[in-house]
Amino acid sequence: MVVKEVVAGMVSVVAVWVGYFGVRMQRASGQLERLEQLLQPINAANARVARFPEQASNGVGQPSISTLDTTFTVPGPSPRTTRLTSTVYQFDDELPGTAGSSSPVLFISPPSSVPSRSTLLATAAQCATTFGVTEVPGFGLNEGAALSAGELTPATMQAGVEALVSSFASHAKSDKIIAVAAGHAGMSLLELAQSKPNLFDGIVLLSPTFRGPLTTAKWKLNNKGKGPIATVVNAVGETLWWLYQAPLLKYVANGLFTTSKRIEGQLRSHVFVGANFITPEVVQENQDYARVGAPLPKCAFLTGRLDPMSSSGELTALLDDGLKVPTLVLMAERGPESSRQDIQPLMDTIEGASADSKHASVMLKGALRNFVEFPTDTAERISAFIASLN
């Protein structure tokens, strides 16, 4: 009798998991469709009019849109080839004041628990005529790379950034491009620019970071002399990593971590600053970002497995010979203080550069995704930087 009850209980649990998995797949399909809708040309045209309202009376046309396929070789002991994409836009009308000099610009969304190339569309449309938006491998619409646990490494992220940059430059028929990247993707872009400066006219880093949430928490605890608590945080991270690799369980775990309440809490704590900006629609949109695609890459970011560096000392070494290409760093006034401390070597390098180097750093209002909340402010700074390069 007991055995029958145990078996029946196990069957019930499996049924719940399978049911949850089926519902999740249906919801994921709907979420993906909603995210793709955010990339429609009309949204790019509306974003441009927001910065240049005088163009509205001239009837700003919608840009043409295409999907650029990129062949990507995943590095590792057993390299394999997969596919990445970028969404590319081309406006017929030039930006006011550019006189035909607008350079092709690629915008790269970072690894995150809420990743989507659509977050960069409003900023991109306001500062470039030809531009692409994309994500690093394993995230957003590039989750199709289907990265395994062993492939989720900083080396994979940087190789992905290089593949996306090279593909976009070839598509734009340009030897060099301007690239803009946020968060961890910004640091991967900086590393690429330092090793292969011939790929770039310039780069823009939006609130660049090199520590994930849990590695930042451990770093803070160790700095405060709370090593035992940091050890507990590390154990939590290892447990999460195991859970996110377990069949079916990974979807349950991801579902628990991406409830609307948790998403709203994250948005209020370090993503946006305006209480009125965080509407139910914005919360839902970010929950869609969090639930579309494979959960494991998001856990890799959370637990620090995608951190491009482990200390500021590594950044200092990277910049030992100075910056190799013109670089603009846009930081957020309400961004985490730990992130500012981490990239201090970069800020010192810019401050110590010669006046004609074209390097610059600017503090903008907002938090980590100020380019979503205040896209025109971000676009104006990027536009001025691009103009200085021409």
Side-chain angles (χ1 to χ4, degrees):
M1 186 70 178
V2 173
V3 173
K4 287 183 178 180
E5 290 177 352
V6 170
V7 171
M10 292 175 66
V11 169
S12 297
V13 170
V14 171
V16 169
W17 278 355
V18 171
Y20 176 86
F21 179 72
V23 170
R24 182 201 169 275
M25 291 300 289
Q26 289 180 338
R27 288 179 178 173
S29 176
Q31 288 157 356
L32 183 60
E33 289 174 2
R34 286 196 293 275
L35 296 189
E36 289 176 334
Q37 284 296 314
L38 296 174
L39 293 166
Q40 292 303 306
I42 183 63
N43 294 326
N46 289 341
R48 177 170 284 200
V49 170
R51 182 181 175 194
F52 304 106
E54 67 276 9
Q55 284 200 341
S57 59
N58 298 330
V60 174
Q62 294 184 29
S64 62
I65 180 173
S66 61
T67 298
L68 172 62
D69 286 333
T70 298
T71 300
F72 171 52
T73 301
V74 182
S78 302
R80 65 182 179 87
T81 300
T82 186
R83 171 179 173 266
L84 303 176
T85 69
S86 300
T87 307
V88 180
Y89 300 78
Q90 173 69 57
F91 276 100
D92 288 334
D93 347 356
E94 294 290 342
L95 283 166
T98 61
S101 63
S102 183
S103 304
V105 187
L106 179 64
F107 291 76
I108 308 171
S109 181
S112 164
S113 58
V114 286
S116 175
R117 65 185 66 180
S118 65
T119 60
L120 291 161
L121 181 58
T123 294
Q126 294 184 41
C127 58
T129 298
T130 301
F131 64 90
V133 291
T134 189
E135 306 97 352
V136 292
F139 292 85
L141 297 182
N142 277 335
E143 65 92 18
L147 301 177
S148 67
E151 293 171 335
L152 285 163
T153 66
T156 298
M157 297 300 107
Q158 185 169 349
V161 168
E162 180 174 355
L164 290 164
V165 165
S166 298
S167 177
F168 182 72
S170 177
H171 175 80
K173 296 180 172 58
S174 178
D175 293 333
K176 298 182 178 183
I177 67 164
I178 294 167
V180 181
H184 275 31
M187 205 57 69
S188 296
L189 178 63
L190 176 62
E191 290 184 301
L192 178 60
Q194 290 295 96
S195 63
K196 297 186 177 180
N198 58 298
L199 294 175
F200 304 98
D201 283 322
I203 62 172
V204 180
L205 313 180
L206 306 177
S207 295
T209 57
F210 63 74
R211 295 185 207 271
L214 283 187
T215 44
T216 296
K218 289 188 290 185
W219 177 76
K220 287 180 177 179
L221 288 167
N222 283 320
N223 281 353
K224 293 177 180 178
K226 299 180 178 180
I229 301 178
T231 301
V232 172
V233 171
N234 187 68
V236 169
E238 292 301 316
T239 302
L240 283 174
W241 187 238
W242 175 82
L243 279 174
Y244 271 72
Q245 293 179 73
L248 299 183
L249 256 184
K250 57 188 174 185
Y251 297 112
V252 176
N254 194 54
L256 292 173
F257 275 98
T258 57
T259 63
S260 56
K261 185 176 180 180
R262 287 182 182 275
I263 294 294
E264 183 174 354
Q266 292 174 14
L267 298 182
R268 292 187 185 280
S269 70
H270 60 274
V271 179
F272 301 129
V273 295
N276 294 334
F277 186 81
I278 306 172
T279 62
E281 292 75 19
V282 168
V283 173
Q284 180 62 60
E285 188 176 284
N286 280 271
Q287 188 178 45
D288 288 347
Y289 296 155
R291 290 188 169 179
V292 163
L296 190 59
K298 301 179 179 75
C299 185
F301 165 72
L302 174 67
T303 57
R305 283 169 169 78
L306 300 183
D307 290 356
M309 300 173 187
S310 60
S311 70
S312 295
E314 292 182 34
L315 180 56
T316 299
L318 179 69
L319 301 172
D320 189 49
D321 293 328
L323 288 161
K324 303 293 180 64
V325 302
T327 302
L328 171 65
V329 179
L330 298 179
M331 297 298 291
E333 289 178 351
R334 296 275 294 276
E337 182 60 33
S338 57
S339 296
R340 295 186 202 177
Q341 293 176 22
D342 282 344
I343 68 158
Q344 193 57 48
L346 174 59
M347 307 304 274
D348 291 342
T349 299
I350 290 174
E351 186 176 341
S354 61
D356 60 352
S357 66
K358 298 183 180 179
H359 306 316
S361 64
V362 179
M363 189 72 70
L364 297 178
K365 65 183 178 182
L368 284 183
R369 288 206 172 180
N370 54 3
F371 52 88
V372 175
E373 192 171 4
F374 308 106
T376 298
D377 292 350
T378 306
E380 287 175 347
R381 294 294 183 176
I382 296 174
S383 294
F385 175 68
I386 294 173
S388 75
L389 303 177
N390 292 320

